[in-house]
């Protein structure tokens, strides 16, 4: 069916309810959408494409809108293959289409698909492309979250075609516009998407937000998730808040445990945080919890307690995996409590503390170590560590 979102602008995206992990990494319990848009004026512009696996459905949607009309331009805001994968096939069906992108875009078109950009329109920051009444202005937004990323603004309608920015996980369930759906399911998915995909790029996000702030944005057409209209300002504020490192009062306890000893210590840490008056406490067994949900909670709350046993002369792998992810993300504003056990060689705490040299979180108390099974004294020290973390979070 044809889905018109405003005058001359149509949604032609698709839903993926099959893919199990986004980028092969991040769980998709509710699927994901690949959004693409048609602007139909004197000339026709297609804004981004979709994953090539959905091309037949995609082509049908395009034809339902424009019939036999040609597509004059394909605007490529982002070259990640879930949005650029259909470029080669679109060019076969619309051989006169002209690619619109920046210099880095065209290099990636060649590198990914062996396609040349002959006849393409190379744009720079602030360049304008006229479709008739509609004029599209392009703004480069490098490292949001690839170096070629740009956004496209339709000033007449106040539409920002934002690429991955302001996107979220979750397939669309019939409606496309936020005013026609219950959006409550998408806000935590936006936070999870940001933490997983954009958490490393908070500074470029802030730069892009500053650049785009003067624009009179009334609608945000991202490449994932709903089209934001009534709640466009909330989408922008979510990205601003998360990229600025602003967190709520709360504690996340993350641990890995082979035989239950570290789990007992983690429970004591959580009890201590609760005794300090913290109401929002989330506990993740890292052998069970999917990393994107863990990262979302860490970005959401101020305090992080992380612990694990020594393993093969280092740190238990699922715990070290989380630390590797955090070391590449902007989490310096957090309060940290570390705890680790060992049987004969104390290494766990040393590894956690070495990662914090990159994470730059603020330790709230000396790390807690114990040998072999935790006795009453070790559990008391874990409780005190959690209480110190809770008090630090409440004072922040």
């Amino acid at each position: 069916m044809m889905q018109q979102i405003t005058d001359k602008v149509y949604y032609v995206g698709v839903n993926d309810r099959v893919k199990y992990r986004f980028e092969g990494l991040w769980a998709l319990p509710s699927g994901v959408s690949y959004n693409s848009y048609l602007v139909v004026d004197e000339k026709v512009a297609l804004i981004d494409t979709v994953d090539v696996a959905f091309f037949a459905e995609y082509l049908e949607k395009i034809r339902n809108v424009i019939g036999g009309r040609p597509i004059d331009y394909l605007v490529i805001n982002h070259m990640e293959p879930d949005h650029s994968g259909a470029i080669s096939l679109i060019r076969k069906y619309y051989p006169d289409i002209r690619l619109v992108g920046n210099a880095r875009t065209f290099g990636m078109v060649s590198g990914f698909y062996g396609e040349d950009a002959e006849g393409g329109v190379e744009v720079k920051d602030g360049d304008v492309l006229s479709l008739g009444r509609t004029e599209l202005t392009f703004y480069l937004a490098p490292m949001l979250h690839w170096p070629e990323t740009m956004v496209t603004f339709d000033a007449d309608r106040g539409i920002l075609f934002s690429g991955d920015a302001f996107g979220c996980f979750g397939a669309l369930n019939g409606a496309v516009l936020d005013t026609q759906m219950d959006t409550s399911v998408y806000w935590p998915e936006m936070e999870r998407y940001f933490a997983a995909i954009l958490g490393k790029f908070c500074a470029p996000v802030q730069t892009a937000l500053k650049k785009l702030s003067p624009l009179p944005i009334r609608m945000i057409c991202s490449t994932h998730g709903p089209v934001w209209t009534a709640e466009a300002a909330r989408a922008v504020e979510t990205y601003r808040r998360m990229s600025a490192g602003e967190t709520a009062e709360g504690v996340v306890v993350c641990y890995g445990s082979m035989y239950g000893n570290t789990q007992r210590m983690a429970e004591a840490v959580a009890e201590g945080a609760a005794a300090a008056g913290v109401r929002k406490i989330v506990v993740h067994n890292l052998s069970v919890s999917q990393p994107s949900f863990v990262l979302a909670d860490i970005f959401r709350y101020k305090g992080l307690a992380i612990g694990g046993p020594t393993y093969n002369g280092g740190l238990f792998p699922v715990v070290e995996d989380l630390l590797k992810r955090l070391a590449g993300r902007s989490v310096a504003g957090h309060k940290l409590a570390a705890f680790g056990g060992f049987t004969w060689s104390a290494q766990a705490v040393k590894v956690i503390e070495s990662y914090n040299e990159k994470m730059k979180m603020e330790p709230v108390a000396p790390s807690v170590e114990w040998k072999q099974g935790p006795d009453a004294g070790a559990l008391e020290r874990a409780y005190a560590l959690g209480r110190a973390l809770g008090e630090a979070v409440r004072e922040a």
Side-chain angles (χ1 to χ4, degrees):
M1 299 291 291
M2 183 185 301
Q3 291 183 287
Q4 185 169 2
I5 59 176
T6 191
D7 176 48
K8 301 184 188 302
V9 182
Y10 299 82
Y11 177 86
V12 289
V14 299
N15 284 312
D16 187 342
R17 302 183 191 274
V18 177
K19 184 172 290 182
Y20 182 64
R21 292 191 189 279
F22 190 76
E23 297 183 337
L25 291 170
W26 316 112
L28 292 174
S30 301
V32 68
S33 68
Y34 309 124
N35 300 343
S36 177
Y37 307 90
L38 276 170
V39 183
V40 183
D41 206 317
E42 294 173 21
K43 293 185 179 295
V44 176
L46 181 64
I47 313 290
D48 293 307
T49 70
V50 301
D51 190 301
V52 69
F54 296 87
F55 184 77
E57 176 186 350
Y58 180 53
L59 182 63
E60 180 181 345
K61 288 189 172 189
I62 291 171
R63 287 175 167 171
N64 283 342
V65 175
I66 62 173
R69 283 190 66 177
I71 301 176
D72 298 282
Y73 300 105
L74 169 57
V75 176
I76 306 171
N77 283 322
H78 183 31
M79 272 298 300
E80 206 163 2
D82 54 337
H83 309 300
S84 67
I87 287 176
S88 295
L89 286 175
I90 280 289
R91 294 185 91 181
K92 293 185 186 302
Y93 283 86
Y94 297 94
D96 295 324
I97 197 169
R98 300 178 68 189
L99 305 185
V100 180
N102 56 70
R104 284 179 165 168
T105 305
F106 292 145
M108 291 187 182
V109 169
S110 173
F112 273 108
Y113 307 114
E115 295 274 342
D116 62 53
E118 183 177 356
V121 180
E122 183 178 323
V123 297
K124 297 180 177 60
D125 204 45
D127 282 355
V128 177
L129 176 69
S130 176
L131 305 179
R133 173 189 164 192
T134 302
E135 291 191 336
L136 302 178
T137 305
F138 306 100
Y139 298 94
L140 304 188
M143 300 319 301
L144 191 71
H145 54 123
W146 279 25
E148 88 302 346
T149 302
M150 67 183 194
V151 300
T152 302
F153 187 60
D154 173 357
D156 185 56
R157 300 173 187 83
I159 301 176
L160 181 70
F161 298 99
S162 61
D164 276 353
F166 312 114
C168 62
F169 295 132
L172 298 174
N173 301 317
V176 173
L177 292 168
D178 60 356
T179 53
Q180 299 172 358
M181 66 174 75
D182 173 11
T183 62
S184 62
V185 297
Y186 294 103
W187 295 111
E189 288 293 78
M190 178 177 283
E191 292 185 342
R192 189 166 70 91
Y193 180 89
F194 186 100
I197 308 300
L198 288 153
K200 179 181 176 64
F201 305 101
C202 289
V205 170
Q206 292 274 297
T207 298
L209 290 173
K210 183 177 180 180
K211 176 185 283 190
L212 299 176
S213 62
L215 301 181
I217 298 170
R218 297 192 293 274
M219 178 182 292
I220 297 175
C221 293
S222 175
T223 47
H224 296 296
V227 171
W228 301 111
T229 58
E231 297 187 273
R234 180 175 176 180
V236 174
E237 171 58 19
T238 299
Y239 267 59
R240 187 209 63 78
R241 169 175 54 81
M242 296 191 72
S243 64
E246 295 179 7
T247 49
E249 181 182 298
V251 166
V252 185
V253 181
C254 298
Y255 73 92
S257 186
M258 287 184 285
Y259 302 112
N261 292 311
T262 309
Q263 178 170 324
R264 291 182 65 197
M265 295 290 280
E267 300 288 1
V269 170
E271 290 171 12
V278 178
R279 298 177 66 86
K280 296 287 188 178
I281 300 172
V282 184
V283 180
H284 284 291
N285 179 343
L286 297 176
S287 295
V288 177
S289 296
Q290 211 280 331
S292 61
F293 291 94
V294 179
L295 290 171
D297 282 331
I298 291 171
F299 267 77
R300 192 172 289 130
Y301 297 120
K302 175 69 70 177
L304 173 63
I306 188 160
T310 297
Y311 187 88
N312 285 346
L315 179 62
F316 195 51
V318 294
V319 183
E320 185 159 15
D321 177 73
L322 176 63
L323 289 167
K324 287 178 180 177
R325 298 177 194 276
L326 291 174
R329 286 172 166 80
S330 300
V331 291
H334 286 66
K335 308 291 186 180
L336 177 66
F339 56 103
F342 64 98
T343 297
W344 65 87
S345 176
Q347 296 297 323
V349 162
K350 293 178 183 177
V351 176
I352 296 171
E353 291 177 345
S354 70
Y355 273 101
N356 196 41
E357 293 175 8
K358 295 181 181 178
M359 298 187 302
K360 302 186 185 306
M361 296 184 184
E362 181 185 342
V364 298
S367 301
V368 170
E369 284 188 303
W370 71 98
K371 185 176 182 179
Q372 298 160 12
D375 58 16
L379 291 169
E380 288 176 3
R381 287 186 287 121
Y383 180 91
L385 181 67
R387 182 156 195 147
L389 180 60
E391 290 170 351
V393 164
R394 297 205 69 193
E395 291 170 0

